[in-house]
């Protein structure tokens, strides 16, 4: 058996100041994965792949909030509160700007992905799909518009969740329907 001695002035890897923990590692992993997808298949397709994951996350989170609040469906105020709460739990800083029968507008001062979201707009599909799924399953319909995003260089995010079909929603708005209520092609 061969052993190597470490000189007294050398540091071990465990003693170094490397900013790495599970959270940082996972955010970097997602950043690299989304960047690779964007580079290989393009932004639109990468956003589509991440949308599938976001929908699954939205379904799971919707069930958890319904169970925790012991309701069959969340009302509009509960939806808005759940969206803010879920982002708070993952270190986002979302807040309600406006809430009406027609829409919920949220602002955000801190992305859960941190600086890893910069130049990775496909990661924003996670927010769009989680928000859209949760709102649609409870309120019947949602169209999510990512009006401003940290990923594209804005100082914060502004997300509009339209609760009724409207011409006010832009062309980049994604529609979500309650399961079983989707329009036929």
């Amino acid at each position: 058996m061969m052993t190597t001695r470490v000189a007294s002035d050398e540091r071990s890897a465990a003693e170094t100041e490397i900013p790495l923990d599970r959270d940082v590692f996972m955010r970097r992993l997602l950043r690299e994965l989304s960047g690779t997808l964007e580079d290989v298949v393009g932004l639109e397709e990468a956003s589509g792949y991440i949308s599938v994951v976001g929908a699954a996350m939205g379904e799971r989170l919707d069930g958890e909030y319904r169970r925790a609040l012991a309701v069959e469906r969340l009302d509009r105020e509960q939806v808005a509160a759940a969206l803010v709460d879920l982002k708070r739990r993952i270190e986002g800083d979302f807040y309600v700007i406006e809430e009406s029968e027609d829409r919920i507008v949220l602002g955000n001062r801190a992305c859960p992905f941190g600086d890893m979201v910069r130049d990775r707009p496909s990661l924003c599909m996670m927010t769009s799909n989680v928000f859209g799924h949760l709102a649609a399953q409870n309120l019947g319909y949602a169209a999510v518009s990512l009006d401003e995003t940290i990923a594209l260089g804005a100082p914060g995010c502004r997300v509009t969740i339209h609760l009724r079909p409207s011409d006010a929603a832009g062309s980049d708005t994604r529609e979500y329907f309650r399961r079983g209520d989707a329009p036929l092609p």
Side-chain angles (χ1 to χ4, degrees):
M1 177 193 290
M2 184 174 168
T3 59
T4 306
R5 292 189 163 226
V6 177
S8 61
D9 61 340
E10 290 183 30
R11 294 170 41 180
S12 73
E15 297 170 324
T16 59
E17 295 290 327
I18 297 174
L20 183 64
D21 60 22
R22 181 173 36 184
D23 180 60
V24 171
F25 179 81
M26 295 305 289
R27 285 186 287 134
R28 281 191 183 143
L29 176 75
L30 289 170
R31 176 180 172 74
E32 294 306 320
L33 178 60
S34 64
T36 299
L37 280 170
E38 289 176 19
D39 291 345
V40 173
V41 299
L43 178 58
E44 189 172 328
E45 291 295 320
S47 296
Y49 286 117
I50 293 172
S51 292
V52 172
V53 175
M57 293 294 293
E59 186 169 333
R60 177 175 295 259
L61 291 166
D62 176 44
E64 289 182 18
Y65 278 99
R66 287 184 197 200
R67 276 188 294 284
L69 295 169
V71 295
E72 186 175 326
R73 294 208 194 282
L74 306 177
D75 63 26
R76 187 186 72 242
E77 285 109 12
Q78 289 171 318
V79 166
L83 298 179
V84 169
D85 179 68
L86 76 89
K87 289 296 189 171
R88 177 193 57 80
R89 290 174 186 265
I90 60 173
E91 298 184 24
D93 189 13
F94 279 73
Y95 55 93
V96 176
I97 295 172
E98 175 188 334
E99 182 185 326
S100 70
E101 289 183 22
D102 295 329
R103 65 187 185 164
I104 299 168
V105 181
L106 300 173
N108 176 38
R109 293 175 283 255
C111 181
F113 293 112
D115 287 339
M116 304 297 175
V117 78
R118 299 245 181 241
D119 301 318
R120 295 294 189 267
S122 62
L123 287 174
C124 298
M125 288 302 100
M126 189 64 68
T127 295
S128 178
N129 278 269
V130 169
F131 283 10
H133 183 84
L134 203 144
Q137 292 311 310
N138 290 284
L139 305 174
Y141 172 85
V144 178
S145 174
L146 303 171
D147 306 320
E148 296 176 10
T149 65
I150 294 169
L152 291 177
C157 299
R158 183 180 173 99
V159 179
T160 302
I161 303 143
H162 300 273
L163 303 176
R164 296 180 179 167
S166 166
D167 293 335
S171 61
D172 62 340
T173 301
R174 292 177 177 260
E175 289 186 298
Y176 302 88
F177 300 89
R178 181 180 291 145
R179 220 173 354 279
D181 291 351
L184 297 174

